[in-house]
Amino acid sequence: ITRDGIGVALAASSGTGKSTCCQRIPSPWRALSDDESMIVHDTGDQYQIHPFPTWSEYLRDKNATSTWNVEEGVPLSAIFFLEQAEIDQAIPAGKGQAAVYICQIAIQVYNRMWGEAKYREQKSHKRDLFINACKIAETIPVYILRVSLNGNFWDEIDKVL
């Protein structure tokens, strides 16, 4: 999601509420994507986040109408790992916990592509993912975002930004 040039990643396993949060986010916030995004290290010491198309939607439904501008990238200011809860709350994650969470989400995405890769190749890719996750966790603040079905989770994001 983005607001005023600030990019925020909402991360979670499938079924946790990413799409629901993206549908509920009020203006001036705007959803860049509702499923996958790519974090890219730019030429400085900054990370940009770019939306990815929801490929599963297109593979299942040839008449799918949702589109995302994959060329639109914004500076990544924070990552929030979603948890379903009764009340909305943002809790800072430690650097180690953040690195592990970032790596786990990246592996979930990449597992679809690694199907036939040899063990040594997979091991090398996973090592690289973990190194990148550690670098991101050192640079970008990471939080656990407890999200309720009817609360204003975006207020919790605003508090920490």
Side-chain angles (χ1 to χ4, degrees):
I1 57 176
T2 184
R3 182 197 74 210
D4 302 326
I6 295 171
V8 171
L10 302 179
S13 297
S14 180
T16 305
K18 295 183 304 287
S19 294
T20 300
C21 286
C22 287
Q23 290 168 0
R24 291 187 54 221
I25 197 80
S27 182
W29 285 99
R30 181 172 58 88
L32 290 176
S33 174
D34 70 345
D35 191 28
E36 290 183 5
S37 297
M38 181 170 52
I39 297 173
V40 180
H41 191 249
D42 70 12
T43 55
D45 196 24
Q46 183 101 25
Y47 287 89
Q48 300 282 321
I49 187 163
H50 292 265
F52 255 27
T54 309
W55 292 110
S56 58
E57 188 174 308
Y58 290 103
L59 295 173
R60 282 194 300 260
D61 180 7
K62 301 297 181 195
N63 298 317
T65 57
S66 296
T67 61
W68 306 105
N69 181 3
V70 296
E71 295 174 0
E72 181 179 5
V74 293
L76 180 60
S77 298
I79 300 171
F80 292 85
F81 284 89
L82 303 182
E83 287 183 358
Q84 295 175 351
E86 294 296 319
I87 61 166
D88 298 323
Q89 183 181 20
I91 303 164
K95 302 274 188 218
Q97 181 184 28
V100 169
Y101 280 8
I102 293 166
C103 190
Q104 286 175 337
I105 289 292
I107 287 173
Q108 284 180 23
V109 173
Y110 281 97
N111 272 340
R112 293 189 307 259
M113 296 175 248
W114 282 340
E116 296 299 319
K118 294 180 180 169
Y119 173 76
R120 286 183 187 201
E121 191 176 326
Q122 283 186 14
K123 187 175 176 182
S124 174
H125 286 297
K126 287 179 181 179
R127 185 190 70 242
D128 291 345
L129 281 177
F130 184 69
I131 290 168
N132 286 333
C134 290
K135 289 177 183 177
I136 293 168
E138 278 293 320
T139 307
I140 304 295
V142 176
Y143 300 87
I144 308 303
L145 182 62
R146 294 186 176 151
V147 178
S148 66
L149 196 53
N150 298 309
N152 297 345
F153 67 88
W154 50 89
D155 289 340
E156 297 301 312
I157 295 172
D158 284 333
K159 283 179 190 176
V160 299
L161 292 180

